[in-house]
Structures are given as C-alpha cells and as structure tokens.
Amino acid sequence: MRIKILFVLAVALLGAACTSKNDKIHCRIEGDVKEPSFTRILLLPEDSDPRVTPVDTILVKDGRFAHDLYVDEPTMYEMWVCEDYNSGGWFPFEFFAEEGVVHATFYGYALDNATRPELRSETPLNKELLDYNARLALFRNQLKQEKDSLEKAGKMFTAQGYALKKLFDECEDRDSLRKLSERIGQLDKEGALYSPEYNAFNEKSKRVWEDVDAYVQEYIRDNHTLVGLYLLANKIRKSREMDYETKRPYIELFERIYEPKFPTNRMTAGLRNLINSFGVATGTRFIDFTLPDLSGAEHTLSKAIEGKIAVIDFWASWCGPCRHASMSLIPLYEKYKDKGFSAVGVASELESEDMRLAIEKDGYPWLNLLALHDKQKIWERYGIKGAGEVFLVDRDGTIIAIGATADEIERILKDRL
C-alpha cells in the first residue's frame, strides 16, 4: 500500500513538473564552435553580473552544443565562451529567449580578433534584432572600408606620426613606451599626428555616427517592441553620467510607452531601478531595504541605523578596492561607535561562504548584510555598477556624502557628533 502511495505521489509530482514546464516559453539553443579548445558556453540574463549571478553552463561536445531554456516571458540573454572569458576578452552574444530555436556560432578568441559570434533564428524578436543589426552594419562597414583603405595606402598618419608609431611598435622598454606615448599625445594635440585625408575621414565619421544615433532614436520611437525596449535600455544606461535634460526624452518615452506596455519584463524592472537611482544623491534620503545577515536573520536598514550618523558600505569579497576602503573605516568605527556613529555593510555575493571568509580575514566589526545573487538589485537601486561604494547618511536619513574616504568622513563626524 505504501509503495502504491509513493508511486502515485511520484506520478503526481512528475505531472506537476511537466505542467509547469509546459506553461513556460521554450527556447531551444543550438550552436557550434570553430575553435577546438572551446569546451563550455556560459548563459546569463542580459545586464547581469556573473560575479554575483548564477551562470548556466552548456557543454560543448565535438564542436557542437545544445540547451533547452524555459522562461516566463521573452527575455534578453547573453552567451559567451568560458575559455574566451577566462582569457580576459570575450564576445558576448545577445539574443531573445522566446518560443522557437536560436542557433549560435562561435569562431574564436576575441583577443585574436576572431570573427564575432553569429546569430541565426526565425523567431520574431530575434529576426527583428537581426534586421536592425544588419542596417547598423551598413553604416559600420562603410566606415571600416574607408579606414582600411587609408591604412593600406599609408595615408593614416603624417610622416612624423608614422615614424613615432614605428618606434612605439618596436619598443619593449616600459619607460620608453611611456615617453613615446606622451610624444604621440602631444603630436595629436598639435594636429600633426594624422594626415589630412584621415582628419577628413574622422569628420565624415562624426556625421555618419550622428546619422546612426538619429536612426536608433527613430527606431525606438516608432517600434514599441521588446527590441525597442532593449535599445532604449542601452540608451538610458549610457546616459548615466549625462545631465538630466539629455536623459529626459528617453525617460519620458520609457514611462509613457514602454513601462505600461511591458510592466513585468526584466528589462523594464532594471530600467525602473536605474531611473530611480538617478535621484540618489547628497541631500536625498537613502533607499531602505531588508536583507539577511549570515545567520539568516533579517534586518531593515532604517531600523539598524536609526538615530545615528551611519556609513552604508557596499562591498564584495571579489572587490579588492571595496575591501581596502572598508578596512580603512575600522579604526573610525571603533573611535566613534559609542558617540552616535554606526556602520552597515552590504555584500553582493555569489556564495555566502565568500562573504564569511572575507569578514573573517578583514575583521569588519559592524553588521553586514548579504545581497545574495543580486536578487533585490540593491546595488542597482543605488546606481552602483562594477565596484562598491560608501554612503554616509545623517541621523534623519539624508545622504551627506557619497564615496568619501575615512579621513573625509572623520572630518564630518567631528563637526556633527
């Protein structure tokens, strides 16, 4: 009887799993590699950080690979070759995970100037993306052919420029290379590095890229698809350091059209976080959140620093500069912790054990919270990309300083405590 019950449960669980898979979009990924040393393909949602986000690994066998990807809705993904990534330079391969088959071909190492990966697919979004990229390629190819022609004819540099380039290419001494770089830079400032033909080509290139930018803007305005959202996301990401008036038309387009049309898409959520992060600045209130510590106990940031001047220290075990900055705050914390000063660390990690070992080695004495797998996008919400950051907030939660050193923080503490 017990065996029968277990069998029925197993069948039920299997049926539930199948139903769950059938409810999802099935993207079949197939591909081949031309470089024999390539053994693994890495797969990750677009604009994710592999240092903190789990990466799917697809094995290559006899120069071919295949993978079944299931998603809730069409989502932009990236693929790249593991060995290429480990060599320090790689070609990310972007595609939409949607119902149907996607084929990818990887040719060789990026550092060897190999042909870029090739996408082939008959699925609607990927066909649209391929058509769009083909139009952009017309602009790029035109410029590349003209530049190659100038290089081949020896009309890229002036005679003095070619002489310096020859010395630079043949030089192996680091100090001499530095001096040659300075001489080349000075020659460029004087307008004597490039030939008249190449200067004319550069002026033409500027006009062509202005045409490209106009085409991209027109495409985003007129094609309200996920491809349009993807292009808009790239535009807004690149505008991070620009003034608000430059960003404003893109943000308005996102809020007026794309956000209401694709409210649950991953790119929409990422763009919303990014746009909100533009408002994170000195004089504004910090963004509150709740995260666990290493024991699993949940802590809400506003409660942890309530009534104190506090450092919110965004760091990670894999970020050397972050850890150096964090350790420099330890003497400051010990000196002022009983005078109304506090600190909370927020570690973005792939594995909790990495965080534990880093704390054990570096000796951080304050509360540290774990942002595992970047699930709540805490760093993204604060506008942090790549490396960590230190935020100093006042007793009322107002951000006093961003990126301040230990010495700068101490001067503020002396004035306010």
Side-chain angles (χ1 to χ4, degrees):
M1 182 67 176
R2 183 179 175 185
I3 293 174
K4 184 180 287 188
I5 292 172
L6 289 174
F7 176 76
V8 170
L9 284 173
V11 170
L13 287 171
L14 181 60
C18 291
T19 302
S20 176
K21 241 179 193 182
N22 289 338
D23 287 343
K24 291 181 177 290
I25 293 170
H26 175 205
C27 179
R28 173 71 176 178
I29 302 168
E30 298 176 349
D32 57 291
V33 300
K34 304 302 183 182
E35 168 56 53
S37 65
F38 289 168
T39 63
R40 290 182 295 162
I41 305 298
L42 305 179
L43 177 67
L44 192 68
E46 178 265 345
D47 199 37
S48 297
D49 188 338
R51 295 170 298 186
V52 298
T53 308
V55 178
D56 286 336
T57 300
I58 308 171
L59 296 179
V60 176
K61 185 176 181 181
D62 298 327
R64 298 191 61 79
F65 61 89
H67 181 74
D68 292 299
L69 178 62
Y70 295 89
V71 294
D72 293 319
E73 60 181 318
T75 307
M76 178 66 84
Y77 268 78
E78 286 186 0
M79 278 194 294
W80 64 93
V81 176
C82 178
E83 287 80 7
D84 203 18
Y85 178 76
N86 290 340
S87 71
W90 65 99
F91 291 131
F93 177 100
E94 294 179 329
F95 68 98
F96 279 98
E98 58 181 330
E99 192 70 36
V101 180
V102 170
H103 191 278
T105 300
F106 292 91
Y107 290 95
Y109 286 93
L111 292 179
D112 294 337
N113 294 317
T115 302
R116 284 185 169 273
E118 180 184 358
L119 165 69
R120 298 193 302 279
S121 180
E122 292 299 315
T123 61
L125 289 171
N126 285 308
K127 281 188 69 176
E128 182 185 348
L129 183 64
L130 285 168
D131 288 343
Y132 169 84
N133 287 334
R135 293 191 190 100
L136 285 192
L138 295 176
F139 293 101
R140 287 195 298 267
N141 291 341
Q142 175 193 352
L143 293 176
K144 185 178 185 304
Q145 288 171 7
E146 290 189 34
K147 183 178 179 181
D148 289 347
S149 178
L150 287 172
E151 284 189 88
K152 188 175 181 180
K155 294 182 178 180
M156 187 168 179
F157 299 101
T158 60
Q160 194 176 359
Y162 273 115
L164 278 176
K165 182 179 182 300
K166 185 174 185 296
L167 289 173
F168 187 88
D169 290 343
E170 294 173 353
C171 183
E172 295 182 359
D173 178 68
R174 181 177 294 180
D175 189 53
S176 298
L177 282 170
R178 180 182 57 79
K179 291 177 181 177
L180 283 169
S181 294
E182 291 173 355
R183 287 172 61 189
I184 291 171
Q186 183 59 38
L187 200 65
D188 190 19
K189 287 180 182 178
E190 295 169 0
L193 178 63
Y194 295 108
S195 68
E197 293 91 343
Y198 191 74
N199 285 330
F201 167 76
N202 274 335
E203 288 302 313
K204 179 181 179 179
S205 296
K206 290 177 185 177
R207 294 192 297 272
V208 170
W209 286 116
E210 286 172 359
D211 291 342
V212 170
D213 190 58
Y215 168 68
V216 174
Q217 291 182 48
E218 181 182 346
Y219 195 96
I220 294 168
R221 286 196 307 267
D222 297 344
N223 298 272
H224 305 151
T225 65
L226 283 176
V227 175
L229 177 59
Y230 166 67
L231 299 175
L232 180 61
N234 286 337
K235 275 288 182 184
I236 295 177
R237 288 167 190 160
K238 290 175 182 176
S239 73
R240 176 189 296 275
E241 304 303 326
M242 299 177 186
D243 61 87
Y244 185 77
E245 283 306 306
T246 304
K247 295 182 280 200
R248 184 171 58 80
Y250 300 114
I251 294 173
E252 289 179 350
L253 185 62
F254 170 71
E255 294 177 337
R256 181 168 52 88
I257 294 175
Y258 284 96
E259 191 171 30
K261 186 170 183 180
F262 304 107
T264 61
N265 192 272
R266 185 180 180 279
M267 285 188 290
T268 303
L271 267 185
R272 172 44 58 198
N273 284 338
L274 177 60
I275 291 168
N276 289 345
S277 77
F278 292 152
V280 177
T282 55
T284 65
R285 182 174 173 78
F286 72 90
I287 300 171
D288 205 7
F289 54 81
T290 300
L291 284 174
D293 59 24
L294 279 172
S295 72
E298 298 277 343
H299 300 266
T300 299
L301 179 62
S302 56
K303 295 294 183 182
I305 63 174
E306 190 172 13
K308 295 184 178 182
I309 298 178
V311 158
I312 309 171
D313 178 29
F314 293 90
W315 68 284
S317 63
W318 42 264
C319 179
C322 306
R323 291 173 65 175
H324 180 77
S326 300
M327 286 187 282
S328 73
L329 296 172
I330 295 174
L332 194 66
Y333 176 80
E334 297 294 354
K335 184 176 180 180
Y336 291 96
K337 66 180 181 180
D338 297 325
K339 301 177 182 178
F341 176 60
S342 185
V344 174
V346 183
S348 185
E349 301 289 351
L350 186 63
E351 301 291 342
S352 59
E353 180 66 6
D354 295 334
M355 174 184 171
R356 187 190 68 77
L357 291 173
I359 293 173
E360 186 178 288
K361 182 177 181 179
D362 298 347
Y364 309 136
W366 47 73
L367 171 67
N368 274 282
L369 305 179
L370 174 61
L372 190 64
H373 299 169
D374 200 27
K375 284 182 179 176
Q376 290 192 39
K377 304 292 181 184
I378 304 297
W379 283 34
E380 184 175 81
R381 288 157 63 189
Y382 271 82
I384 303 168
K385 293 291 287 184
E389 191 62 276
V390 172
F391 288 75
L392 182 66
V393 301
D394 211 341
R395 293 181 180 89
D396 64 355
T398 302
I399 298 173
I400 305 170
I402 301 173
T405 65
D407 289 340
E408 291 167 341
I409 292 172
E410 181 160 26
R411 285 196 287 273
I412 295 171
L413 293 180
K414 284 180 178 178
D415 182 57
R416 300 194 181 215
L417 290 179

